[in-house]
Amino acid sequence: MSTTAPPTVTFALTEEQQLLRSMVRELLTERVTSARLREVMLGDEGYDAVLWRELADLGLVGLAIPEHLGGGGSGFVEVSIVLEELGRVLAPVPYLSSVVLGATVVATGGSEDQQARVLPDVATGSTRLALAHLDTAGRLTGPPGIRASRVADGWVLEGEAGYVVDGRTATDLVVAATTDDGLELFLVDAEADGVERTDVEVLDATRPMATVGFSGVRVDDANRLTGAEPMAALHAGLQAAVVAIACEQVGGTQRTLEDATAYARDRVQFGRAIGSFQAVKHRLAEMLVAAESARSAAHHAARVLATDERQELAVAAPLAKAYCSEVYEQATGDAIQIFGGIGFTWEHDTHLYFKRAKSTKLLLGDPKHHRSLLGDALGI
Amino acid sequence: MASDTTATTDQRARVEESIDALLTAFPPARTPEPEFWGAQFDHGLAWVQHPEGLGGLDVSPRWQAEVDRRIVEAGGSTRNRTQNVLGIGMGAGTIVAHGTEEQQQRFLRPMFTLEEIWCQMFSEPGAGSDLAALATSAKLDGDHWIVNGQKVWTTLGHLAKWGMLVTRTDPDVPKHAGLTYFIVDMESDGVDVRPLYQITGEAEFNEVYFTDVAIPDDLRVGDVGQGWTVAMTTLMNERVAIGGNVQPRGAGAIAQAVEAWERTDAPDRDPAKRDQLLRYWVEAEAMRLTTLRAKEAAKQGTPGPEGSTAKLQWADLNKAITSFTMDLLGPEGMTYPGGYAFTRPDVTSNRTPSPHKAFLRSRANSIEGGTSEVMKNILGERVLGLPGEPRVDKNLPWREVPRS
C-alpha cells in the first residue's frame, strides 16, 4: 500500500478561523430560525435569497475564489467551517451547488478567460451555478444524460439531466455532456431557449433538486470549458463536494447531539430526567463517540483538500463521506427515538435533519460506493 | 498557545542541559542499565514533571518524550517503563503526591531502576466497576495493620516486590469514606499470589490472597480513610501512562483483518466481505484521527470531548474487527494455533498475538480499565452533563449495603 504514510495533519484552527466560525454561527442562528427555514422550504423561491445576499456581502460565498477574481482567496478549511455551520442549521442556500460543485469545476476546468468571466459573479452571489452531470436515473457510473453535437459555430445539447442540486433556481448550469470525442463541460445560461427545469419532489425539502431537460440548446464554443481535461475537472468538483457534504453532516450531527442531549436533561418521566436512564444516556454517549470521529474524518479531509494532497485525498474524501453519512443517519434516527412522540411530529425540526441525513447519504454516492473507492485507493 | 513563552524556553533549556550532562557522564551504550537508570533518576530525568530530588525537574511532563527520544538515540533503553509499568506509570505519581518523605526516598529510585517491580491491587471479585465497594479489610493492631481478603486482576503480581493496596479500614461509614491505601511487601507472610488463567489459556494476571498479613503503619499512604483519594491519583496516572503514542494508519487489529483478506482465495473474496472490511478500516482510521486530534488539543491546552471517547470506541471496534478476522480465516478460525498453553505471557512485550488469540483477548477490552457501560455513563454524565443514576448506596454505611 502506497498510502500508509501518516499524513501531516493539524486540526487546530487559527484565531481567524475560530472568529470566522463564531461569526457564521451567530449570523445563522439568528437568520435560520425554524419558522424561516419552513417558510423557504415550503415556498416557491427555492432558496433564502435574503440570507444568500447577506452571506455574499460578508464575503462568505466568494471565500475560496481567488482575490484577483473578486473572492477572498481563502482555502478549503475556511470553506469547511462555513459548510459545517450551514449544515448545523440546514441553511437553505445554494452553497454546495454553486460555491463547491459549480465553482470548483469552473475553477479547475475553465480557461483563465472563462474563470474571469464566471467566478467574480459567483463570488458576489449574483451567479448561482448548478452542476448537471447525471442522467435521470442518477447513476454515478455511465454517461451523463446530455449529448452534445458539434455544429458550425458551437454545440447543440440534447437530453435530460437528473438530480441537479438547486437546478431550478440556478442562473447558470455547468453541464457535463457526452460528445463524439468523449466528455465535455459546458456553461449554459439556465434561461436559454430549450432548457426546461422541473423541481423533483425531494425527501429533503430544504435542498431542492431539479430535472433539467435540454432540447436543441445552442452553446457557443466560448462556453465549452477548455482549461483542463474535462473528466479531471468534473472529478475535482465531485471530490470537493463529497468532502463538503461530510462537513455539513458533521454540523448537523453535532446539532442533533446537542438538541437530543438538552431534551434528555429536561424531559421527565417516572419522576426522573430521561437522560438519567442508561438506555437513553448510553445512546447519547454512543452518538458523542461517533460525532467526534466523524468530525475527525471530515476535518482531516478538508485539510487534505486545502493542501491539495491528491494521493491522500483519494483516501480521505471517500472515508469522510462514507463515515459521516452513516454517523449522521444513525444520530438523527436515534434522536427521533430520544425525543419520542414529539420527534415524529412535523412541528419538530428533527425530521428535517433526519431527511437531510438520508438524502446526503445517497447524494454523490452512498457509503458503500465510497468504501469501494477507498478500497481501490488502498489496494484492498 | 503553540508559541514558546519565556517559561517554556527556560524549561527546555533546563531539560536539555540535564540530558547533555547525563549522556556525557553515563554514555548509555557503555553503562549497565540499572546504573544508567539510577543516574537518569539522579539527573531528574526519570519523570520530569515531578520535583527535583525525586527523579524530576519540576517541569511540564511533555518534555519526557524528548528525554526518552534522546536516550534511545544514544543507545540507551527505556524498557524499565514497560517492565515496571505499574510502578513507573502509576505508583510513582501516587507516592510523589501522597507519600511521606521517607517513602519517597525509599521507593522511587529502585522502582525506576527496575530493581523493584511493583503491582497494583485494587479490584476484587466483589468490586469490579464498583471499586469503592471493596471488602479486603485492614485492622490496626499496635503499629501494624492486619490485612485479610482477596484481590484480583493483578498484573505483575508474581514478579512484584511491592504492591499498591487499597483496603477497608472502616466498614461503618459510607463506602468511599472507609478506605485506606498501603504499600505492601509482596514477600510478606500470608501473601499468596496465584496465576489467574483467562480465556486465552494464559495467565496475564494473578489473584492475590491476604491471610493475616501484617503491614507496618509507616507503609500507609495518605491518612486513614483517605484511600479513595489516593487510589484516584493512581488511576489518573494510569490514564496518562496509557495515553501515549498514536498507532500508524492501518496498524493494530485492522492490519490482521487486511492480511487475512489478502490471504483469502479469490473465489471467497465476495463484495459483502470487502465492504465489511472497508467499513472497519474506515472506523479504525476515523478513530485514529480522533486520537491524533485529541493529542493535539491536549498539547495546545484545549482538550475537548475527543479525548474521552477513544477507549470506548476502541474496545467495541477491536472486538468487532478481531471477530471479523476469524470469519475471514474460515475453517482455520476453528483452530487455535499453539493450543492452550497454560503459561504466563510476557505482558510487557509488544509482540503481535495470532488473530485467534487477539480474538479471544479482545473480549476483555470492553471490561478492563472501565467497562463500556461505565464509560458510557462517564461520557453521558461528565461530558454531556446528563443526570446520574440514583445511587442507593451513597449514604449507607458500607456494612449495610447489599453485596453479591
Side-chain angles (χ1 to χ4, degrees), chain A residues 305-345:
Chain A
L305 189 57
T307 52
D308 201 26
E309 296 165 59
R310 300 285 170 83
Q311 199 180 5
E312 175 60 15
L313 192 59
V315 171
L319 183 134
K321 177 65 164 67
Y323 190 70
C324 298
S325 293
E326 307 252 21
V327 167
Y328 196 14
E329 184 180 34
Q330 179 78 40
T332 51
D334 282 356
I336 292 177
Q337 184 66 23
I338 289 165
F339 283 113
I342 189 115
F344 184 67
T345 64

Tab-separated table of all heavy atoms in Angstrom, chain A residues 305-345:
chain	number	residue	atom	x	y	z
A	305	LEU	N	-7.838	18.467	1.371
A	305	LEU	CA	-8.328	19.171	0.181
A	305	LEU	C	-7.689	20.556	0.098
A	305	LEU	O	-7.301	21.010	-0.986
A	305	LEU	CB	-9.850	19.283	0.256
A	305	LEU	CG	-10.591	19.798	-0.975
A	305	LEU	CD1	-10.301	18.944	-2.196
A	305	LEU	CD2	-12.099	19.823	-0.711
A	306	ALA	N	-7.565	21.202	1.236
A	306	ALA	CA	-6.994	22.551	1.259
A	306	ALA	C	-5.543	22.549	0.793
A	306	ALA	O	-5.089	23.488	0.146
A	306	ALA	CB	-7.102	23.136	2.664
A	307	THR	N	-4.812	21.483	1.108
A	307	THR	CA	-3.398	21.436	0.745
A	307	THR	C	-3.169	20.669	-0.556
A	307	THR	O	-2.033	20.505	-0.988
A	307	THR	CB	-2.561	20.794	1.864
A	307	THR	OG1	-3.160	19.532	2.207
A	307	THR	CG2	-2.526	21.672	3.096
A	308	ASP	N	-4.295	20.185	-1.129
A	308	ASP	CA	-4.234	19.545	-2.438
A	308	ASP	C	-3.279	18.346	-2.477
A	308	ASP	O	-2.539	18.155	-3.437
A	308	ASP	CB	-3.819	20.580	-3.503
A	308	ASP	CG	-4.242	20.130	-4.898
A	308	ASP	OD1	-5.216	19.355	-5.004
A	308	ASP	OD2	-3.588	20.532	-5.881
A	309	GLU	N	-3.303	17.537	-1.419
A	309	GLU	CA	-2.511	16.300	-1.430
A	309	GLU	C	-3.358	15.225	-2.097
A	309	GLU	O	-4.131	14.539	-1.451
A	309	GLU	CB	-2.161	15.888	0.004
A	309	GLU	CG	-1.270	16.863	0.741
A	309	GLU	CD	-1.261	16.584	2.246
A	309	GLU	OE1	-0.883	15.474	2.625
A	309	GLU	OE2	-1.654	17.470	3.018
A	310	ARG	N	-3.189	15.098	-3.422
A	310	ARG	CA	-4.098	14.270	-4.221
A	310	ARG	C	-4.180	12.827	-3.758
A	310	ARG	O	-5.241	12.254	-3.655
A	310	ARG	CB	-3.647	14.274	-5.688
A	310	ARG	CG	-3.621	15.614	-6.343
A	310	ARG	CD	-5.031	16.100	-6.676
A	310	ARG	NE	-4.988	17.498	-7.092
A	310	ARG	CZ	-4.699	17.887	-8.336
A	310	ARG	NH1	-4.439	16.993	-9.264
A	310	ARG	NH2	-4.669	19.169	-8.648
A	311	GLN	N	-3.004	12.259	-3.484
A	311	GLN	CA	-2.982	10.840	-3.151
A	311	GLN	C	-3.718	10.584	-1.829
A	311	GLN	O	-4.490	9.641	-1.716
A	311	GLN	CB	-1.534	10.371	-3.053
A	311	GLN	CG	-1.402	8.875	-3.174
A	311	GLN	CD	0.043	8.429	-3.064
A	311	GLN	OE1	0.943	9.234	-2.797
A	311	GLN	NE2	0.271	7.156	-3.245
A	312	GLU	N	-3.501	11.461	-0.877
A	312	GLU	CA	-4.170	11.304	0.407
A	312	GLU	C	-5.658	11.621	0.276
A	312	GLU	O	-6.493	11.025	0.961
A	312	GLU	CB	-3.503	12.208	1.455
A	312	GLU	CG	-4.167	12.255	2.820
A	312	GLU	CD	-4.259	10.903	3.534
A	312	GLU	OE1	-3.573	9.952	3.123
A	312	GLU	OE2	-5.049	10.820	4.498
A	313	LEU	N	-6.001	12.531	-0.624
A	313	LEU	CA	-7.413	12.870	-0.817
A	313	LEU	C	-8.208	11.660	-1.304
A	313	LEU	O	-9.376	11.499	-0.960
A	313	LEU	CB	-7.541	14.035	-1.813
A	313	LEU	CG	-8.919	14.696	-1.903
A	313	LEU	CD1	-9.361	15.249	-0.558
A	313	LEU	CD2	-8.926	15.793	-2.959
A	314	ALA	N	-7.561	10.802	-2.089
A	314	ALA	CA	-8.237	9.598	-2.585
A	314	ALA	C	-8.608	8.660	-1.437
A	314	ALA	O	-9.476	7.800	-1.572
A	314	ALA	CB	-7.350	8.872	-3.583
A	315	VAL	N	-7.954	8.826	-0.290
A	315	VAL	CA	-8.309	8.064	0.912
A	315	VAL	C	-9.264	8.890	1.779
A	315	VAL	O	-10.318	8.415	2.212
A	315	VAL	CB	-7.038	7.712	1.730
A	315	VAL	CG1	-7.415	7.111	3.076
A	315	VAL	CG2	-6.159	6.758	0.942
A	316	ALA	N	-8.883	10.137	2.001
A	316	ALA	CA	-9.595	10.960	2.993
A	316	ALA	C	-11.009	11.327	2.557
A	316	ALA	O	-11.927	11.352	3.386
A	316	ALA	CB	-8.795	12.227	3.287
A	317	ALA	N	-11.200	11.611	1.271
A	317	ALA	CA	-12.530	12.058	0.826
A	317	ALA	C	-13.570	10.934	0.917
A	317	ALA	O	-14.610	11.120	1.558
A	317	ALA	CB	-12.449	12.642	-0.583
A	318	PRO	N	-13.325	9.776	0.313
A	318	PRO	CA	-14.340	8.723	0.442
A	318	PRO	C	-14.514	8.262	1.887
A	318	PRO	O	-15.625	7.908	2.293
A	318	PRO	CB	-13.813	7.590	-0.441
A	318	PRO	CG	-12.393	7.882	-0.703
A	318	PRO	CD	-12.231	9.369	-0.593
A	319	LEU	N	-13.422	8.287	2.646
A	319	LEU	CA	-13.532	7.894	4.050
A	319	LEU	C	-14.495	8.823	4.790
A	319	LEU	O	-15.389	8.384	5.516
A	319	LEU	CB	-12.142	7.927	4.712
A	319	LEU	CG	-12.102	7.457	6.160
A	319	LEU	CD1	-10.944	6.495	6.355
A	319	LEU	CD2	-11.953	8.593	7.131
A	320	ALA	N	-14.327	10.121	4.568
A	320	ALA	CA	-15.180	11.093	5.261
A	320	ALA	C	-16.635	10.942	4.827
A	320	ALA	O	-17.546	10.934	5.667
A	320	ALA	CB	-14.687	12.511	4.983
A	321	LYS	N	-16.854	10.793	3.529
A	321	LYS	CA	-18.236	10.691	3.054
A	321	LYS	C	-18.896	9.412	3.566
A	321	LYS	O	-20.042	9.416	4.015
A	321	LYS	CB	-18.256	10.730	1.522
A	321	LYS	CG	-19.628	10.558	0.867
A	321	LYS	CD	-20.566	11.696	1.193
A	321	LYS	CE	-21.793	11.763	0.269
A	321	LYS	NZ	-22.725	10.664	0.405
A	322	ALA	N	-18.167	8.311	3.510
A	322	ALA	CA	-18.731	7.034	3.962
A	322	ALA	C	-19.047	7.092	5.454
A	322	ALA	O	-20.127	6.704	5.894
A	322	ALA	CB	-17.765	5.887	3.671
A	323	TYR	N	-18.109	7.606	6.234
A	323	TYR	CA	-18.272	7.557	7.689
A	323	TYR	C	-19.296	8.585	8.179
A	323	TYR	O	-20.204	8.257	8.951
A	323	TYR	CB	-16.918	7.777	8.374
A	323	TYR	CG	-16.978	7.496	9.853
A	323	TYR	CD1	-17.127	6.192	10.318
A	323	TYR	CD2	-16.919	8.523	10.781
A	323	TYR	CE1	-17.216	5.916	11.665
A	323	TYR	CE2	-17.003	8.256	12.142
A	323	TYR	CZ	-17.144	6.951	12.575
A	323	TYR	OH	-17.242	6.685	13.918
A	324	CYS	N	-19.155	9.825	7.746
A	324	CYS	CA	-20.033	10.883	8.255
A	324	CYS	C	-21.482	10.643	7.852
A	324	CYS	O	-22.400	10.966	8.607
A	324	CYS	CB	-19.552	12.251	7.776
A	324	CYS	SG	-17.896	12.629	8.375
A	325	SER	N	-21.688	10.065	6.678
A	325	SER	CA	-23.052	9.753	6.246
A	325	SER	C	-23.720	8.775	7.200
A	325	SER	O	-24.865	8.959	7.607
A	325	SER	CB	-23.032	9.123	4.851
A	325	SER	OG	-22.602	10.049	3.891
A	326	GLU	N	-22.986	7.734	7.548
A	326	GLU	CA	-23.567	6.714	8.427
A	326	GLU	C	-23.804	7.266	9.825
A	326	GLU	O	-24.811	6.984	10.467
A	326	GLU	CB	-22.631	5.489	8.511
A	326	GLU	CG	-22.240	4.916	7.155
A	326	GLU	CD	-22.908	3.587	6.855
A	326	GLU	OE1	-23.939	3.300	7.475
A	326	GLU	OE2	-22.383	2.847	5.996
A	327	VAL	N	-22.857	8.057	10.285
A	327	VAL	CA	-22.978	8.616	11.636
A	327	VAL	C	-24.175	9.569	11.712
A	327	VAL	O	-24.958	9.540	12.669
A	327	VAL	CB	-21.680	9.352	12.028
A	327	VAL	CG1	-21.881	10.194	13.275
A	327	VAL	CG2	-20.552	8.340	12.250
A	328	TYR	N	-24.327	10.390	10.686
A	328	TYR	CA	-25.417	11.368	10.677
A	328	TYR	C	-26.770	10.663	10.663
A	328	TYR	O	-27.682	11.015	11.402
A	328	TYR	CB	-25.257	12.258	9.441
A	328	TYR	CG	-26.044	13.552	9.431
A	328	TYR	CD1	-26.643	14.073	10.582
A	328	TYR	CD2	-26.177	14.281	8.247
A	328	TYR	CE1	-27.343	15.278	10.549
A	328	TYR	CE2	-26.865	15.482	8.204
A	328	TYR	CZ	-27.460	15.975	9.353
A	328	TYR	OH	-28.140	17.163	9.312
A	329	GLU	N	-26.876	9.651	9.813
A	329	GLU	CA	-28.148	8.944	9.738
A	329	GLU	C	-28.486	8.273	11.073
A	329	GLU	O	-29.606	8.365	11.577
A	329	GLU	CB	-28.118	7.893	8.621
A	329	GLU	CG	-29.460	7.221	8.455
A	329	GLU	CD	-29.488	6.166	7.361
A	329	GLU	OE1	-28.468	5.478	7.158
A	329	GLU	OE2	-30.539	6.024	6.723
A	330	GLN	N	-27.490	7.625	11.653
A	330	GLN	CA	-27.712	6.952	12.937
A	330	GLN	C	-28.102	7.971	14.005
A	330	GLN	O	-29.020	7.755	14.802
A	330	GLN	CB	-26.435	6.213	13.350
A	330	GLN	CG	-26.517	5.494	14.688
A	330	GLN	CD	-27.269	4.176	14.578
A	330	GLN	OE1	-27.110	3.449	13.607
A	330	GLN	NE2	-28.091	3.879	15.573
A	331	ALA	N	-27.400	9.090	14.047
A	331	ALA	CA	-27.647	10.102	15.078
A	331	ALA	C	-29.057	10.675	14.961
A	331	ALA	O	-29.771	10.815	15.965
A	331	ALA	CB	-26.607	11.224	14.976
A	332	THR	N	-29.466	11.003	13.740
A	332	THR	CA	-30.781	11.616	13.590
A	332	THR	C	-31.892	10.605	13.851
A	332	THR	O	-32.933	10.950	14.409
A	332	THR	CB	-30.940	12.228	12.185
A	332	THR	OG1	-30.580	11.249	11.204
A	332	THR	CG2	-30.027	13.439	12.020
A	333	GLY	N	-31.653	9.359	13.473
A	333	GLY	CA	-32.625	8.318	13.782
A	333	GLY	C	-32.743	8.116	15.285
A	333	GLY	O	-33.842	8.032	15.841
A	334	ASP	N	-31.605	8.067	15.945
A	334	ASP	CA	-31.610	7.911	17.402
A	334	ASP	C	-32.262	9.120	18.076
A	334	ASP	O	-32.918	8.987	19.105
A	334	ASP	CB	-30.172	7.743	17.925
A	334	ASP	CG	-29.658	6.333	17.696
A	334	ASP	OD1	-30.437	5.482	17.217
A	334	ASP	OD2	-28.476	6.068	18.001
A	335	ALA	N	-32.038	10.297	17.501
A	335	ALA	CA	-32.615	11.498	18.105
A	335	ALA	C	-34.140	11.416	18.093
A	335	ALA	O	-34.798	11.759	19.079
A	335	ALA	CB	-32.140	12.747	17.366
A	336	ILE	N	-34.708	10.945	16.987
A	336	ILE	CA	-36.166	10.805	16.944
A	336	ILE	C	-36.622	9.888	18.073
A	336	ILE	O	-37.604	10.163	18.769
A	336	ILE	CB	-36.622	10.261	15.564
A	336	ILE	CG1	-36.361	11.311	14.481
A	336	ILE	CG2	-38.101	9.874	15.602
A	336	ILE	CD1	-36.707	10.848	13.071
A	337	GLN	N	-35.875	8.822	18.291
A	337	GLN	CA	-36.228	7.882	19.362
A	337	GLN	C	-36.142	8.558	20.736
A	337	GLN	O	-36.990	8.347	21.595
A	337	GLN	CB	-35.297	6.664	19.298
A	337	GLN	CG	-35.620	5.580	20.302
A	337	GLN	CD	-36.962	4.928	20.019
A	337	GLN	OE1	-37.463	4.952	18.901
A	337	GLN	NE2	-37.556	4.351	21.061
A	338	ILE	N	-35.131	9.374	20.932
A	338	ILE	CA	-34.972	10.025	22.231
A	338	ILE	C	-36.067	11.080	22.438
A	338	ILE	O	-36.608	11.208	23.531
A	338	ILE	CB	-33.558	10.640	22.347
A	338	ILE	CG1	-32.535	9.506	22.488
A	338	ILE	CG2	-33.462	11.594	23.530
A	338	ILE	CD1	-31.095	9.920	22.267
A	339	PHE	N	-36.382	11.812	21.384
A	339	PHE	CA	-37.468	12.788	21.509
A	339	PHE	C	-38.819	12.097	21.699
A	339	PHE	O	-39.764	12.694	22.222
A	339	PHE	CB	-37.512	13.693	20.280
A	339	PHE	CG	-36.463	14.758	20.260
A	339	PHE	CD1	-35.446	14.751	19.325
A	339	PHE	CD2	-36.490	15.786	21.199
A	339	PHE	CE1	-34.474	15.732	19.312
A	339	PHE	CE2	-35.519	16.774	21.189
A	339	PHE	CZ	-34.504	16.756	20.250
A	340	GLY	N	-38.920	10.866	21.264
A	340	GLY	CA	-40.180	10.149	21.419
A	340	GLY	C	-41.240	10.739	20.503
A	340	GLY	O	-40.924	11.235	19.414
A	341	GLY	N	-42.471	10.733	20.952
A	341	GLY	CA	-43.594	11.145	20.115
A	341	GLY	C	-43.389	12.485	19.433
A	341	GLY	O	-43.642	12.623	18.230
A	342	ILE	N	-42.873	13.455	20.177
A	342	ILE	CA	-42.739	14.787	19.587
A	342	ILE	C	-41.757	14.772	18.422
A	342	ILE	O	-41.891	15.545	17.476
A	342	ILE	CB	-42.322	15.832	20.651
A	342	ILE	CG1	-42.389	17.260	20.079
A	342	ILE	CG2	-40.931	15.601	21.175
A	342	ILE	CD1	-43.414	18.104	20.734
A	343	GLY	N	-40.799	13.845	18.478
A	343	GLY	CA	-39.807	13.730	17.411
A	343	GLY	C	-40.393	13.218	16.106
A	343	GLY	O	-39.770	13.316	15.057
A	344	PHE	N	-41.592	12.672	16.195
A	344	PHE	CA	-42.247	12.142	14.998
A	344	PHE	C	-43.188	13.174	14.374
A	344	PHE	O	-43.744	12.960	13.306
A	344	PHE	CB	-43.026	10.863	15.359
A	344	PHE	CG	-43.652	10.174	14.186
A	344	PHE	CD1	-42.874	9.577	13.205
A	344	PHE	CD2	-45.038	10.140	14.045
A	344	PHE	CE1	-43.456	8.948	12.112
A	344	PHE	CE2	-45.627	9.518	12.951
A	344	PHE	CZ	-44.833	8.921	11.977
A	345	THR	N	-43.353	14.323	15.043
A	345	THR	CA	-44.287	15.320	14.520
A	345	THR	C	-43.627	16.193	13.449
A	345	THR	O	-42.410	16.392	13.444
A	345	THR	CB	-44.798	16.251	15.646
A	345	THR	OG1	-43.699	17.000	16.179
A	345	THR	CG2	-45.465	15.445	16.750
